[in-house]
Each structure stands twice: as C-alpha cells, then as structure tokens.
Amino acid sequence: MIYLDHAATTPVHPEVAAVVQDVMSNCFGNPSTLHAIGREARGLLDKARQQVADLICARPEEIFFTSGGTEADFLALWGVVSSRKGRGSHIITSSIEHHAVLNNCAYLAELFDCRVTYLPVDGAGMVDPDDVRRAIERETALISIMHANNEVGTIEPVEEIAAIAREEGIPFHVDAVQTVGHLPIDVNRLGVDLLSLSGHKFYGPKGVGALYVRQGTPFTAVLRGGGQERGYRSGTENIPGIAGLGQAADIARRDLEEETQRLQRLRDALIQGIEERIPGARLNGHRTRRLPHNVNFSFPDVEGESLVLGLDLQGIAVSSGSACSSGTGEPSHVLRSLGLPESYLNGAVRMTLGRANTEEDIPVVIEALEGLVRKLGRLFSA
C-alpha cells in the first residue's frame, strides 16, 4: 500500500508507540493525587507540556491538553466568546475553515446571540488581510483563521492578520492542526493568542491534542469539574496519550527541517508529473504557499470518489477531500469557495505525503492516476 492520506491521519511513530505502551503498562496513577504513583504521572504530564510548548515556542503554562483538534477549536471559540458573559459579540472567520470551527461558530450564533462574518478567499484559497480589517466591528470578540487549509494546503497570511488583530485588541485564534509538526511554528513570531493542534496529524496517538492560550487572553472555562488543566479543561488527564503527544512533538522538532525539505521535493515531483501527463488537471490551492506534503488536483467531468476507489484497488490510499466530510455526496465547501468551475467540483483528489513515502512512489501514483482519469473520463463522457 502507498499511503497518501497523511492529512487525514498519520501512523503512530514507533518511538511514540513505545512511550504510550510503557506508560500504559507502568504508570497508571492519577496526576492529581499526592502519593508517589500520582507524582510519577504528574511528572509525565509536566514533561509533555514542556515538549509541546517547545515545539511551538510557547510557555508550558500556556498549553492545555484536550481530546484532539476539534475540542481545542471548541474550547478556543467558546472560551473567548463566553468570557463576554452573554453580551452580544461578533466573530470573524473564513469560508474555508474546518467544520470544527464553522459548526461551532454557527452554534455560538444561536446560543450567545453572536454574529459571524465568513470572509471569502481568492482562487488559491487565500484570505485577504484587508478583508479582515474591513470586517472588524466594535463588538468583534474573536478572529479565527486557519494556519493552512486541510484540503488544498494553502498557507494563510496569519502574521499579517495577527498584526491587525493585535492593533485592534482582538484575540486571534489559529487552527494549526495541519501545520504543527510540518512547519516551523513560533507563536510569538506569528503573533497568535490561541492555537489548536492534534497529535494524530504528526505521528502521535489519536484522541489527544492541545490548545495554546497566550497569558492574558480573555478566556472562560467551558468544561467544569475537578479543576484539571488549571481549571480550563476539567477531567482526569489521558496520561498515555499525552506522553505520546509529547514524544511526537520532540520527534517533529528534531526532524522538521530535513523532513520538510524531503517532502517538498516529492510534492513538487508529483505535481509536475500530473500536470505533464494528465490534460486538464487543475492544481487546487496556492502553488508556492502550500503545505510541504499537500497535493490537490481536480479533473474535469470525473468523480473524485471514483478515483479514490480506483486507486484503492491498486493499493494507493488517497482522499477526495477532508476525511470529516467524505461520504456526504456534496462538493467540498472549500472548492466551492475557490470558485472552481462546476465541471471540476466533484473531481478532486487530495494526496498528502508522509514519512514512509519515497521517490519510487511518485511514478507509480502518476501512472495509476493517469490511467484512471482517462478511463473514467471516457465512461462519463460516453
């Protein structure tokens, strides 16, 4: 199997699996207890908090562990908006956000009398910082723009947006689920106030993530209970998963530069080969400001899901878009926002590279994809 769906999830790194297994077998304590077994668990918790903080150049006390990226997005949005104590507020986001942001914005609009502005993007999936500035109102409580899009891989101008937010005194949240572990991230250089990440996107375990909250950001606890995570996210911590997340953060920091350069070479070879071999292929997303491992193409008058299934039969795993939206039968909201012609909307394939992929995979994928596009194109045009 050639696995090209790392944006959906990554295999657990062997070093991470070893840490998780060791903690599961040998450290069962509750980190909130005072005895030696509990203190051992607390030590692992503190170590992982430092490891995650180091990966994004934050302070450990600014890291709050969650069950994943969706919960981290939820906590960011609700924590800031609910801190306004029921007063009407305004959120600015983009039309291409992950549903973890879009659906929670819609829910907040119902519960807290919020208004939400959904900014458009250009044909490459880029938010215009000037649109952010124009959308700001007196009641704007939060700006939430993703660091890079999970489907088309476009990297957004978050530093410019952060500067605008800081100038206006508005908290700025970034969904960085697709970039943490794949791009160098310094929350201070980016200027963000809140940042979401998820372990299984960079070779950590599923079911664990984190939210960075800059000290001084207005934020109210949403999950209340025993006061864990300094009262912001109650519930006994998942120590094996958190330890695994910390180990994955260490590995990502160690290998980031070399692995990013390698994946960029594979990505560019795959893009070049598809454009040379398959007439009508359209690259979705920004050509240069894109994730190092993301390749997303649309093919006219071909069903993307048919391509996914056809490649799967040949031992190549890809997706037709976000794993969270697959199977709906509806064209991607991201591709619609890019303004793709109708004939291209349903014919998208996302290929996302990872550690196990090699140069030898690229011609195999191109040949298989070319054959399928030609075959399916004849069938749909018949």
Side-chain angles (χ1 to χ4, degrees), residues 55-57 69 73 92-98 101 121 124-129 132 143-162 172-198 201-202 212 256 260 285-286 288-294 334:
L55 179 61
I56 63 172
C57 302
D73 285 340
I92 298 171
T93 190
S94 83
S95 61
I96 62 167
E97 299 296 311
H98 192 278
V101 168
V121 295
M126 191 80 72
V127 175
D128 185 344
V132 176
I143 300 170
S144 180
I145 303 292
M146 64 196 339
H147 194 185
N149 184 261
N150 52 302
E151 292 192 29
V152 299
T154 297
I155 300 171
E156 301 296 341
V158 296
E159 289 186 56
E160 294 93 323
I161 296 170
F172 179 36
H173 166 247
V174 168
D175 178 343
V177 165
Q178 289 293 330
T179 55
V180 171
H182 301 283
L183 295 177
I185 292 180
D186 181 337
V187 292
N188 299 299
R189 180 179 58 79
L190 290 177
V192 302
D193 300 299
L194 305 103
L195 180 144
S196 305
L197 62 92
S198 182
K201 302 296 188 179
F202 57 100
Y212 158 78
L256 186 63
T260 296
H286 201 282
T288 56
R289 283 184 59 95
R290 71 184 301 125
L291 289 167
H293 61 305
N294 177 288
V334 175

Coordinates of all heavy atoms in Angstrom, one line a residue, residues 55-57 69 73 92-98 101 121 124-129 132 143-162 172-198 201-202 212 256 260 285-286 288-294 334:
L55 N 7.8 22.8 21.0 CA 7.5 22.7 19.5 C 7.0 24.0 18.9 O 7.3 24.3 17.8 CB 6.6 21.5 19.3 CG 6.2 21.2 17.8 CD1 7.4 20.9 17.0 CD2 5.1 20.1 17.8
I56 N 6.2 24.7 19.7 CA 5.6 25.9 19.1 C 6.1 27.2 19.8 O 5.6 28.3 19.6 CB 4.0 25.9 19.2 CG1 3.6 25.8 20.7 CG2 3.5 24.7 18.4 CD1 2.1 26.0 20.9
C57 N 7.2 27.1 20.5 CA 7.9 28.2 21.2 C 7.0 29.0 22.1 O 6.9 30.2 22.2 CB 8.5 29.2 20.1 SG 9.6 28.4 19.0
G69 N -8.0 18.0 18.0 CA -8.1 19.3 17.4 C -9.5 19.9 17.5 O -9.7 21.1 17.6
D73 N -10.4 23.5 19.1 CA -11.1 24.6 18.4 C -12.3 25.0 19.2 O -12.6 26.2 19.4 CB -11.5 24.1 17.0 CG -10.4 24.1 16.0 OD1 -9.3 24.7 16.3 OD2 -10.5 23.4 15.0
I92 N -15.1 36.8 13.5 CA -14.7 36.8 12.1 C -13.9 35.5 11.8 O -13.0 35.1 12.5 CB -13.7 38.0 11.8 CG1 -14.5 39.3 12.0 CG2 -13.2 38.0 10.4 CD1 -13.5 40.5 12.0
T93 N -14.3 34.8 10.7 CA -13.7 33.6 10.3 C -13.7 33.5 8.8 O -14.0 34.5 8.1 CB -14.3 32.4 11.0 OG1 -13.5 31.2 10.7 CG2 -15.7 32.1 10.4
S94 N -13.2 32.4 8.2 CA -13.2 32.3 6.8 C -14.2 31.3 6.3 O -14.6 30.4 7.1 CB -11.8 32.0 6.3 OG -11.5 30.6 6.3
S95 N -14.5 31.3 5.0 CA -15.4 30.4 4.4 C -14.8 29.0 4.2 O -15.5 28.0 3.9 CB -15.9 30.9 3.1 OG -14.8 31.1 2.2
I96 N -13.5 28.8 4.4 CA -12.8 27.5 4.1 C -12.3 26.8 5.4 O -11.5 25.9 5.3 CB -11.7 27.7 3.1 CG1 -10.6 28.6 3.7 CG2 -12.2 28.2 1.8 CD1 -9.3 28.5 2.9
E97 N -12.8 27.3 6.6 CA -12.4 26.7 7.8 C -12.8 25.2 7.9 O -13.8 24.8 7.2 CB -12.9 27.4 9.0 CG -12.4 28.9 9.1 CD -10.9 29.0 9.3 OE1 -10.4 28.3 10.2 OE2 -10.3 29.8 8.6
H98 N -12.2 24.5 8.8 CA -12.6 23.1 9.1 C -14.0 23.2 9.8 O -14.3 24.2 10.4 CB -11.6 22.5 10.0 CG -11.8 21.0 10.2 ND1 -12.7 20.5 11.1 CD2 -11.2 19.9 9.6 CE1 -12.7 19.2 11.1 NE2 -11.8 18.8 10.2
V101 N -14.5 24.5 13.3 CA -14.7 25.9 13.5 C -16.0 26.4 13.0 O -16.8 27.1 13.7 CB -13.5 26.7 12.9 CG1 -13.8 28.2 12.9 CG2 -12.2 26.4 13.7
V121 N -12.3 33.8 0.1 CA -10.9 33.6 -0.3 C -10.8 33.8 -1.8 O -11.8 33.8 -2.5 CB -10.5 32.2 0.1 CG1 -10.5 32.0 1.6 CG2 -11.3 31.1 -0.5
A124 N -6.9 30.9 -5.0 CA -5.9 30.0 -4.5 C -6.2 29.6 -3.0 O -5.5 28.9 -2.4 CB -4.5 30.6 -4.5
G125 N -7.3 30.1 -2.5 CA -7.7 29.8 -1.1 C -7.1 30.7 -0.1 O -7.0 30.3 1.1
M126 N -6.7 31.9 -0.5 CA -6.0 32.8 0.4 C -7.0 33.9 0.9 O -7.8 34.5 0.2 CB -4.9 33.5 -0.3 CG -4.0 34.3 0.6 SD -2.8 33.3 1.4 CE -1.7 32.8 0.0
V127 N -7.0 34.1 2.3 CA -7.7 35.2 2.9 C -6.9 36.5 2.7 O -5.7 36.5 2.9 CB -7.9 34.9 4.4 CG1 -8.6 36.1 5.1 CG2 -8.8 33.6 4.6
D128 N -7.7 37.5 2.4 CA -7.0 38.9 2.2 C -7.0 39.6 3.6 O -8.1 39.8 4.2 CB -7.8 39.7 1.2 CG -7.2 41.0 0.9 OD1 -6.3 41.5 1.7 OD2 -7.6 41.6 -0.1
P129 N -5.9 39.9 4.2 CA -5.9 40.6 5.5 C -6.7 41.9 5.4 O -7.2 42.3 6.5 CB -4.4 40.9 5.7 CG -3.7 39.8 4.9 CD -4.5 39.6 3.7
V132 N -10.1 41.2 6.5 CA -10.2 41.1 7.9 C -10.3 42.4 8.6 O -11.2 42.7 9.4 CB -9.0 40.3 8.5 CG1 -9.0 40.3 10.0 CG2 -8.8 38.9 7.9
I143 N -11.2 36.7 16.2 CA -10.9 36.4 14.8 C -10.3 35.0 14.8 O -9.4 34.6 15.6 CB -9.9 37.4 14.2 CG1 -10.4 38.8 14.2 CG2 -9.5 37.0 12.8 CD1 -9.4 39.8 13.9
S144 N -10.8 34.1 14.0 CA -10.3 32.7 13.9 C -10.1 32.3 12.4 O -11.0 32.2 11.6 CB -11.4 31.7 14.5 OG -10.9 30.4 14.4
I145 N -8.8 32.2 12.0 CA -8.4 31.9 10.7 C -7.4 30.7 10.7 O -6.4 30.8 11.5 CB -7.8 33.1 10.0 CG1 -8.7 34.3 9.9 CG2 -7.3 32.7 8.5 CD1 -9.9 34.1 9.1
M146 N -7.6 29.7 10.0 CA -6.7 28.5 10.0 C -5.3 28.9 9.5 O -5.2 29.8 8.6 CB -7.3 27.4 9.2 CG -7.5 27.6 7.8 SD -8.6 26.5 6.9 CE -8.7 25.0 7.9
H147 N -4.3 28.2 10.0 CA -3.0 28.4 9.5 C -2.8 27.9 8.1 O -2.2 28.6 7.3 CB -2.0 27.7 10.5 CG -0.6 28.2 10.3 ND1 0.5 27.6 11.0 CD2 0.0 29.1 9.5 CE1 1.6 28.2 10.6 NE2 1.3 29.1 9.7
A148 N -3.3 26.7 7.8 CA -3.2 26.2 6.4 C -4.5 25.3 6.2 O -4.9 24.6 7.1 CB -2.0 25.4 6.2
N149 N -5.0 25.3 5.0 CA -6.2 24.6 4.7 C -6.0 23.1 4.6 O -5.0 22.7 4.0 CB -6.9 25.1 3.5 CG -8.2 24.5 3.2 OD1 -8.3 23.5 2.4 ND2 -9.2 24.9 3.9
N150 N -6.8 22.3 5.3 CA -6.7 20.9 5.3 C -6.9 20.2 4.0 O -6.5 19.1 3.8 CB -7.6 20.3 6.4 CG -9.0 20.8 6.2 OD1 -9.3 21.9 6.2 ND2 -9.9 19.8 6.1
E151 N -7.6 20.8 3.1 CA -7.9 20.2 1.8 C -6.9 20.6 0.7 O -6.3 19.7 0.1 CB -9.4 20.5 1.3 CG -10.4 19.9 2.2 CD -11.8 19.9 1.6 OE1 -11.9 20.0 0.3 OE2 -12.8 20.0 2.4
V152 N -6.8 21.9 0.5 CA -5.9 22.4 -0.6 C -4.6 22.8 -0.2 O -3.7 23.1 -1.1 CB -6.7 23.5 -1.4 CG1 -8.0 23.0 -2.0 CG2 -6.9 24.7 -0.6
G153 N -4.3 22.9 1.1 CA -2.9 23.1 1.6 C -2.4 24.5 1.6 O -1.3 24.8 1.9
T154 N -3.3 25.5 1.2 CA -2.8 26.9 1.2 C -2.5 27.4 2.6 O -3.3 27.2 3.5 CB -4.0 27.8 0.6 OG1 -4.2 27.4 -0.8 CG2 -3.6 29.2 0.6
I155 N -1.3 28.0 2.7 CA -0.9 28.6 3.9 C -1.3 30.0 4.0 O -1.0 30.8 3.1 CB 0.6 28.5 4.1 CG1 1.1 27.0 4.0 CG2 1.1 29.2 5.4 CD1 2.6 26.9 3.9
E156 N -2.1 30.4 5.0 CA -2.7 31.7 5.1 C -1.8 32.7 5.7 O -0.8 32.4 6.4 CB -4.0 31.6 6.0 CG -5.1 30.7 5.5 CD -5.6 31.1 4.2 OE1 -5.5 32.3 3.8 OE2 -6.2 30.2 3.5
P157 N -2.0 34.0 5.4 CA -1.1 35.1 5.9 C -1.4 35.4 7.4 O -1.8 36.5 7.7 CB -1.4 36.2 5.0 CG -2.9 36.0 4.6 CD -3.0 34.5 4.5
V158 N -1.2 34.5 8.3 CA -1.6 34.7 9.7 C -0.8 35.8 10.4 O -1.3 36.4 11.3 CB -1.5 33.3 10.5 CG1 -2.5 32.3 9.9 CG2 -0.1 32.8 10.5
E159 N 0.5 36.0 10.0 CA 1.2 37.0 10.7 C 0.6 38.4 10.4 O 0.5 39.2 11.3 CB 2.7 37.0 10.2 CG 3.5 35.8 10.7 CD 4.9 35.9 10.4 OE1 5.6 36.9 10.7 OE2 5.5 34.9 9.8
E160 N 0.2 38.6 9.1 CA -0.4 39.9 8.8 C -1.7 40.1 9.5 O -2.1 41.2 10.0 CB -0.6 40.0 7.3 CG 0.7 40.1 6.5 CD 1.2 38.7 6.0 OE1 1.0 37.7 6.8 OE2 1.8 38.6 4.9
I161 N -2.5 39.0 9.6 CA -3.8 39.1 10.2 C -3.6 39.3 11.7 O -4.3 40.0 12.4 CB -4.6 37.8 10.0 CG1 -4.9 37.7 8.5 CG2 -5.9 37.8 10.8 CD1 -5.5 36.4 8.0
A162 N -2.6 38.6 12.3 CA -2.3 38.8 13.7 C -2.0 40.2 14.1 O -2.4 40.7 15.1 CB -1.2 37.8 14.2
F172 N -6.9 36.5 18.7 CA -6.8 35.8 17.4 C -6.5 34.4 17.6 O -5.5 34.0 18.2 CB -5.7 36.5 16.5 CG -5.4 35.9 15.2 CD1 -6.5 35.4 14.4 CD2 -4.1 35.8 14.7 CE1 -6.2 34.9 13.2 CE2 -3.9 35.3 13.4 CZ -4.9 34.8 12.7
H173 N -7.4 33.5 17.1 CA -7.2 32.1 17.2 C -6.8 31.5 15.8 O -7.4 31.9 14.8 CB -8.5 31.4 17.6 CG -8.6 29.9 17.4 ND1 -9.4 29.3 16.5 CD2 -7.8 28.9 18.0 CE1 -9.2 28.0 16.5 NE2 -8.3 27.7 17.4
V174 N -5.9 30.5 15.8 CA -5.5 29.9 14.6 C -5.6 28.4 14.8 O -5.1 27.8 15.8 CB -4.0 30.2 14.3 CG1 -3.4 29.3 13.3 CG2 -3.8 31.6 13.9
D175 N -6.4 27.8 13.9 CA -6.4 26.3 13.8 C -5.2 25.8 13.1 O -5.1 26.0 11.8 CB -7.7 25.9 13.1 CG -7.8 24.4 12.9 OD1 -6.8 23.7 13.0 OD2 -8.9 23.9 12.6
A176 N -4.2 25.3 13.8 CA -2.9 24.9 13.2 C -2.8 23.4 13.2 O -1.7 22.8 13.2 CB -1.8 25.5 14.0
V177 N -3.9 22.7 13.1 CA -3.9 21.2 13.1 C -3.1 20.6 12.0 O -2.4 19.6 12.1 CB -5.4 20.7 13.2 CG1 -5.4 19.2 12.8 CG2 -6.0 20.9 14.5
Q178 N -3.2 21.3 10.8 CA -2.4 20.8 9.7 C -1.0 21.3 9.6 O -0.2 20.7 8.8 CB -3.2 21.2 8.4 CG -4.5 20.5 8.2 CD -4.4 19.0 7.9 OE1 -3.3 18.6 7.3 NE2 -5.3 18.2 8.3
T179 N -0.6 22.2 10.4 CA 0.8 22.8 10.3 C 1.7 22.4 11.4 O 2.9 22.3 11.2 CB 0.7 24.3 10.2 OG1 0.0 24.8 11.3 CG2 0.0 24.7 8.9
V180 N 1.2 22.2 12.6 CA 2.1 21.8 13.7 C 2.7 20.4 13.4 O 2.0 19.5 13.1 CB 1.3 21.7 15.1 CG1 2.2 21.1 16.2 CG2 0.8 23.1 15.5
G181 N 4.0 20.4 13.5 CA 4.8 19.2 13.2 C 5.2 19.1 11.7 O 6.0 18.2 11.4
H182 N 4.7 20.1 10.9 CA 5.0 20.1 9.5 C 5.7 21.4 9.0 O 6.4 21.4 8.0 CB 3.7 19.8 8.7 CG 3.1 18.5 8.9 ND1 3.5 17.3 8.5 CD2 2.0 18.2 9.7 CE1 2.8 16.3 8.9 NE2 1.8 16.9 9.7
L183 N 5.4 22.4 9.8 CA 6.1 23.7 9.5 C 6.7 24.2 10.8 O 6.1 24.0 11.9 CB 5.0 24.8 9.0 CG 4.4 24.5 7.7 CD1 3.3 25.6 7.4 CD2 5.4 24.5 6.6
P184 N 7.7 25.0 10.8 CA 8.3 25.6 12.0 C 7.3 26.7 12.5 O 6.8 27.5 11.7 CB 9.6 26.3 11.5 CG 9.4 26.4 10.1 CD 8.6 25.3 9.6
I185 N 6.9 26.6 13.8 CA 5.9 27.5 14.4 C 6.5 28.1 15.6 O 6.9 27.4 16.5 CB 4.6 26.7 14.7 CG1 3.9 26.3 13.4 CG2 3.6 27.6 15.5 CD1 2.6 25.5 13.6
D186 N 6.4 29.4 15.6 CA 6.7 30.2 16.8 C 5.5 31.1 17.1 O 5.2 32.0 16.3 CB 8.0 31.0 16.5 CG 8.4 31.9 17.7 OD1 7.6 32.2 18.6 OD2 9.6 32.3 17.8
V187 N 4.8 30.8 18.2 CA 3.5 31.6 18.4 C 3.8 33.1 18.6 O 2.9 33.9 18.4 CB 2.8 31.0 19.6 CG1 2.2 29.6 19.3 CG2 3.6 30.9 20.9
N188 N 5.0 33.4 19.1 CA 5.3 34.8 19.3 C 5.6 35.5 18.0 O 5.2 36.6 17.8 CB 6.5 34.9 20.3 CG 6.2 34.3 21.6 OD1 5.3 34.7 22.3 ND2 6.9 33.2 22.0
R189 N 6.3 34.8 17.1 CA 6.6 35.4 15.8 C 5.3 35.5 15.0 O 5.0 36.6 14.3 CB 7.6 34.6 15.0 CG 7.9 35.1 13.6 CD 8.9 34.2 12.9 NE 8.5 32.9 12.7 CZ 7.6 32.5 11.8 NH1 7.0 33.3 11.0 NH2 7.2 31.2 11.8
L190 N 4.4 34.5 15.1 CA 3.1 34.6 14.4 C 2.2 35.6 15.0 O 1.4 36.2 14.3 CB 2.4 33.2 14.4 CG 3.1 32.1 13.6 CD1 2.3 30.8 13.8 CD2 3.1 32.4 12.1
G191 N 2.3 35.8 16.3 CA 1.5 36.8 17.0 C 0.1 36.3 17.3 O -0.8 37.2 17.6
V192 N -0.1 35.0 17.4 CA -1.4 34.5 17.7 C -1.7 34.4 19.2 O -0.7 34.4 20.0 CB -1.6 33.1 17.1 CG1 -1.4 33.1 15.6 CG2 -0.6 32.1 17.7
D193 N -2.9 34.4 19.6 CA -3.3 34.3 21.0 C -3.8 33.0 21.4 O -3.7 32.6 22.6 CB -4.4 35.4 21.3 CG -4.0 36.8 21.0 OD1 -3.0 37.2 21.6 OD2 -4.6 37.4 20.1
L194 N -4.4 32.2 20.5 CA -4.8 30.9 20.7 C -4.4 30.0 19.5 O -4.5 30.5 18.4 CB -6.3 30.8 21.0 CG -6.9 31.7 22.1 CD1 -7.6 32.9 21.4 CD2 -7.9 30.9 22.9
L195 N -4.0 28.8 19.7 CA -3.6 27.9 18.6 C -4.0 26.5 19.0 O -3.7 26.0 20.1 CB -2.1 28.0 18.4 CG -1.5 27.2 17.3 CD1 -0.4 28.0 16.6 CD2 -1.0 25.9 17.8
S196 N -4.7 25.8 18.0 CA -5.1 24.4 18.2 C -4.2 23.4 17.5 O -3.7 23.7 16.4 CB -6.5 24.2 17.6 OG -7.4 25.1 18.2
L197 N -3.9 22.3 18.1 CA -3.1 21.2 17.4 C -3.7 19.9 17.8 O -4.4 19.7 18.8 CB -1.7 21.4 17.8 CG -1.3 21.2 19.3 CD1 -0.9 19.8 19.6 CD2 -0.1 22.1 19.6
S198 N -3.3 18.9 17.0 CA -3.8 17.5 17.2 C -2.7 16.5 17.0 O -2.0 16.5 16.0 CB -5.0 17.2 16.3 OG -5.5 15.9 16.5
K201 N -2.1 14.1 13.7 CA -1.7 14.7 12.4 C -0.1 14.7 12.3 O 0.3 15.0 11.2 CB -2.2 16.1 12.3 CG -3.7 16.2 12.4 CD -4.5 15.5 11.3 CE -5.9 15.8 11.4 NZ -6.7 15.2 10.3
F202 N 0.6 14.4 13.4 CA 2.1 14.4 13.2 C 2.6 13.2 14.0 O 3.6 13.3 14.8 CB 2.7 15.7 13.6 CG 2.5 16.2 15.0 CD1 3.4 16.0 16.0 CD2 1.3 16.9 15.3 CE1 3.2 16.5 17.3 CE2 1.1 17.4 16.6 CZ 2.0 17.2 17.6
Y212 N -3.1 26.1 22.8 CA -2.3 27.1 23.3 C -3.1 28.4 23.6 O -3.9 28.8 22.7 CB -1.2 27.5 22.3 CG -0.5 28.8 22.5 CD1 0.4 29.1 23.5 CD2 -0.9 29.9 21.7 CE1 0.9 30.3 23.7 CE2 -0.4 31.2 21.9 CZ 0.6 31.4 22.9 OH 1.1 32.6 23.1
L256 N 12.2 18.1 11.8 CA 11.3 19.0 11.0 C 12.0 19.5 9.7 O 11.5 19.4 8.6 CB 10.9 20.2 11.8 CG 9.9 21.1 11.2 CD1 8.6 20.4 10.9 CD2 9.6 22.3 12.1
T260 N 10.8 18.2 6.1 CA 10.0 19.2 5.3 C 10.7 19.3 3.9 O 9.9 19.3 2.9 CB 10.0 20.5 6.0 OG1 9.3 20.4 7.2 CG2 9.3 21.6 5.1
G285 N -5.4 25.2 -4.7 CA -4.6 25.8 -3.7 C -3.5 26.6 -4.3 O -3.3 26.6 -5.5
H286 N -2.8 27.3 -3.4 CA -1.7 28.1 -3.8 C -0.5 27.3 -4.3 O -0.1 26.3 -3.7 CB -1.2 29.0 -2.7 CG -0.5 30.3 -3.1 ND1 0.8 30.2 -3.5 CD2 -0.9 31.6 -3.2 CE1 1.2 31.5 -3.8 NE2 0.2 32.3 -3.6
T288 N 2.8 28.0 -4.5 CA 4.0 28.0 -3.7 C 3.7 28.1 -2.2 O 4.5 27.5 -1.4 CB 4.9 29.2 -4.1 OG1 4.1 30.4 -4.0 CG2 5.4 29.0 -5.5
R289 N 2.7 28.9 -1.8 CA 2.4 29.0 -0.3 C 1.5 27.8 0.1 O 0.3 28.0 0.3 CB 1.7 30.3 0.0 CG 2.7 31.5 0.0 CD 1.9 32.8 0.4 NE 1.2 32.6 1.7 CZ 1.8 33.0 2.9 NH1 3.0 33.6 2.9 NH2 1.1 32.9 4.0
R290 N 2.0 26.6 0.1 CA 1.2 25.5 0.4 C 2.0 24.5 1.3 O 3.3 24.6 1.3 CB 0.8 24.7 -0.9 CG 1.8 24.0 -1.7 CD 1.2 23.4 -3.0 NE 0.1 22.5 -2.7 CZ -1.1 22.6 -3.3 NH1 -1.3 23.6 -4.1 NH2 -2.0 21.8 -3.1
L291 N 1.3 23.7 2.0 CA 1.9 22.7 2.9 C 2.9 21.9 2.1 O 2.7 21.5 0.9 CB 0.9 21.8 3.5 CG 0.0 22.5 4.5 CD1 -1.2 21.6 4.9 CD2 0.8 22.8 5.8
P292 N 4.0 21.5 2.7 CA 5.1 20.7 2.0 C 4.7 19.4 1.6 O 5.4 18.8 0.7 CB 6.2 20.6 3.1 CG 5.6 20.8 4.4 CD 4.4 21.8 4.1
H293 N 3.6 18.8 2.1 CA 3.2 17.5 1.8 C 1.9 17.4 1.0 O 1.3 16.3 0.8 CB 3.2 16.6 3.0 CG 2.2 17.1 4.1 ND1 2.2 18.3 4.6 CD2 1.1 16.4 4.7 CE1 1.2 18.4 5.5 NE2 0.6 17.3 5.5
N294 N 1.3 18.5 0.7 CA -0.1 18.5 0.1 C -0.1 18.7 -1.4 O 0.5 19.6 -1.9 CB -0.9 19.6 0.8 CG -2.3 19.8 0.2 OD1 -2.5 20.2 -0.9 ND2 -3.3 19.4 1.0
V334 N -14.8 24.0 0.5 CA -13.5 24.6 0.2 C -13.4 24.9 -1.3 O -13.1 26.0 -1.7 CB -12.3 23.8 0.7 CG1 -11.0 24.5 0.3 CG2 -12.4 23.7 2.3

